[in-house]
Each structure stands twice: as structure tokens, then as C-alpha cells.
Amino acid sequence: MSMRRLAGLILGLLAMYVPVFTGTPTANGLFLYWTLVSLAMLAFAWIETGEVRTE
Amino acid sequence: MNSQLVLALSVLALYIILGTFLAVMSRRSLKGGLEDFFVAGGRLGGLLSALTYAATTYSGFMIVGLVGFAYFRGVGALGFELVYYVATLGLLLLFASRVNREAKERRWITPSQMLGDATRLRYIPAVTAILYMVALIPYASSQVKSIGEAFAGLAGGYYIAGVILGVAIMIVWSAIAGIWSVAVTDALQGIWMLASATLLLGFVVNELASMGIGIGEAWDILSNTDPGLTTLDKYWTPGVFLAFTLPWMFFAVTNPQVVQRLYMPRDERSIRDMIRWFGVFGLYYTVLVVLIGLLARAGAASGALDISPEKIDQVTPQLLAVAHPLLAALVFTSIVAAAASTTDSIILTLSSVLAVDLGRGDEESRRKLALAGIVLFGFAMAAVAGLRISYIVKLSLLSSLMLLSLAPVTILAWAGWSPTSKLAYASILAGPVMVGVETWRLGSPLAAMLSQPLGVPLALWILIASTVLAIASVKK
């Protein structure tokens, strides 16, 4: 199991929950924030699968 | 018959003809044997793997439920759905390659077989097979019900016709070539869902623009209409957010129809493409659908859209009532497509479980059992949906909660541990038992889902109990 991928998953999820527990940013900010975190996760997935690997 | 109904049925007929043509053509890929019928013999290409994964995952809930959810509960609906998205992408990155490789080595067809191998416990395949049926038949029936409701919303009185037509499509498309016909029709349905939702958003944006309202102004309208729509303070307390997100976070690990899809990609390159294109599809579709709901609310509040829904499920039908008839017909068909693509995958998965995990005899008798299972599960879902009781939809909410306790044992097994003591049974059954007790205690599935015994969401209790038991079941 790739520790880097595990760290990516944990960090991605923590980032999604941050506004829920720390109070929300501005009205527009919440929509943008969650979209950008998800986009960052997609970019991470894209980079991680960049080279075909077996594990 | 009015012209709107004729147009909607014409577009639906076009979709059914196109889907059936693709399903029949896909028979050329079918080589025979249960492995090929249910998991494509591990020969599916990357793009097809991605589209079938996405179309199976994203059900009719998105274009009906999530639009309404965003309309009434605001931006928190985006966080709820994107937590699922981030979790799924991460879990696919971590485990898809390994599961695909082991599935080919051990010739797995069902997720129950995988759990049986992982735990080395004799009755685990049968126990999980029954759990899948208990959890997924109400869930799939609620999808069939949504097709009936779409028909009823379109013309009134056509509910049963919608249910019968929906189930007939699912049975035929599943039986023609198994996963091959389901995968190619999923691809069609996925593209249809994306295209029609894009057009619906365009319509809502255009209606707002005609009143001189841009996206920024729409956000101000939302905040002024109800501050809870653009923040988490009113509707999305931490407890509610956790209760909604935790069961879905592990969907990729616990729901057999998506776990089975990890067995299908042809090679590492196909797995890579599956993860990447599912990622693109999921993010785009989620943002699109939530935006439709939020902007529709701004449109209704500003008078740009003449809609006044009172319930979550009424938002999309009311939007269709004021949209151009052709757009309404396209979106109506996409509701059928989204429900059908999820449900035929569930029907196929349950029939694989019936034939492989519960059935006996040689390959030929299991193949016959599988085909009988497709028809049987289709009829069962039609019968349950035909009752048109709202309780079914509420019950379906519990499906992921019931399956949640499969997550710890599965993840331990995928990570290379051996949860092989009999405590694995207790871990797997913790979810359905706790859900059953809470539903009985509170008298409502919805109340059970949102319950917080001792201030902690039920989903978290299930995860804690099943994780402790799963870890205790590991033998060194």
C-alpha cells in the first residue's frame, strides 16, 4: 500500500471536513473551497497514476 | 396525449432503441462463462470502465435528490457529495490495482468470494450475499420508484407504466450480454446524464441572466433569502454532516456493484484511465448538479424562475415544467437513464451473488440460475416499487449504513492483513444489527440514520464497533 496515496486520501478528507468543524468561510468561499480541494484530489490522482505502476 | 408527453416519450424511445442496439452489439465481446458474463473476464478498457463505474455510482439521486437538496439545504449539499468523491478517488488510488490483480489471480466474480478468501471463514460468502440482498433490494426499488414518479410527474397516472418499462429495460439490458451490455449502456447513460444536466444548468443561468442576474448576484440573493443556504450554521451541524457523509465515504469499498467493477479493467493502463476519467466525470457532474439546485433557488427567490417546490423531490420536476419541452424531454430521459444504470448494475451483481455464492451445481446450472436471478430481482424490485410507498425511499437511505460495517474487514484484507477469526462475522454484522435496533427503537429509518446515541452519529458507532471487531479478528 502506497503511503503517499494514503497520506493524500487522509489529507484530502481532513481538508473537506475543516470548514464543518472550524466555522465556514465567506458565502462564496465555501463552494469554491470544496471545489478546489476536490480539484486538488483529482490532480493528485492524475499525477499518481501518471506512470503505470504495479503497487 | 399532449405534445409534451409525445416529445418526452419519443426521446425516451430513441434512448431505448439506441441502448438496445448497443447492448445487442456488445454480444460480440461476450465469450461465455460466468466470469465473462459478470466481470467481463477482466477485459474491459479504461474509458468503458470509467463510464460504467460513474454511471453505476451516480444514481437518479443526483439529478432529482441532490438538486432538491441544494435548493433547500444550500451549499452543504456540495460538501456532502464531494466528501464521497474525495474518499472514492483516494480509495481507488490505494486499492484498485491490488484488487484487480488478485481478482484475476483468484478468479473472483463476486465481492462475497473476495471476503470469503480474505477471512477464510466458510459462511462469510453466504452471510454477505444475504446482507447485500437485504440492503440493496430496497435501494434499487427506490430507483425504480423514481422512474415511476418521473412518468407520473410527466403525465399523471402513468406510474405503473413507468415502473414496468424501467424494469423491462433493466432486465433486457442485463440479460443480453451481462456486464458487456450493462457497461456499454452505462456509457450511453453516463454521457446522456452529463449532457442533459449541462443543458439544464445553461437554461437556469440563461433565465437568471435574462433578469440581469449573474452568478455573484445569485449568491447574494441566496444569502439574503436564507443565510443557511451559503453557510453550514443552520442545516449542516457537524453531527448532521457526519451522519450524511460517513456511510457514503466507504461506498467504494462496501457496495458490491462498485467493488465488482474493480475486477473488470483489462490492465494497469485501463485502471489508470478508469480512475482519471471517473474523477473528471464525478467532479464535473457533482458541481453541475449542485449549481443547478442553488441557482434555481436564487431564480425562484428573484422571480426569474416560476417555481415553488415544497419538497426536495419536486424541484427538478418543476424546473422541467418551465423549461423548453425538448430540454425537459432530455432531462426526463436522463432521470430514467440514471436510475436504470444504477439498478441494472445492482440486478446483475445480485444475480452473480445468487449464482456464485448461494447457487450449487455446474457452470451451466449456475448460468441458468443467474438468468433466473436477473428476472427474479427485476420482478421483486418492480413489485416493491409498484406499492409506491414512501417508506421504501426511507428504507433505501439505510442501505449504505447497513453495508458500512463491511468496510473495516475489507480494507484490512486489501491492505494485506488477515481478519480470519470468527470475530469477522461480528464485525460484518455490526452494521445491520445496530441499524435494525435503532430503526426499531425510533420507529423510522430516517430517524435511525440521523440518530446520535450519546451525542455520536450512528454511522460513527458502527464504524468504531466494526473496526474494533475487525482488528480483533486479525490473526498474525
Side-chain angles (χ1 to χ4, degrees), chain A residues 1-2 5-6 9 16-17 20-21 24 27-28 30-31 34 38-39 41-42 45-46 49-50 52-55, chain B residues 75 78-79 82-83 85-86 90 93-95 101 219 230 232 238 241-242 245 249 268 272 276 279 283 291:
Chain A
M1 187 165 64
S2 160
R5 293 183 180 194
L6 181 61
L9 169 61
M16 292 301 289
Y17 279 100
V20 181
F21 290 100
T24 54
N28 288 332
L30 197 51
F31 192 97
W34 272 330
S38 301
L39 206 54
M41 192 68 192
L42 176 60
W46 205 277
T49 53
V52 172
R53 44 193 289 171
T54 52
E55 183 69 356
Chain B
V75 74
L78 181 73
L82 285 181
V83 165
Y85 169 83
V86 166
L93 270 179
L94 269 179
F95 297 120
R101 198 172 55 246
W219 237 257
T230 51
L232 301 176
F241 198 83
L242 280 173
T245 51
M249 195 189 290
E268 280 295 324
R272 179 195 71 182
R276 286 180 169 184
L283 183 56
L291 265 181

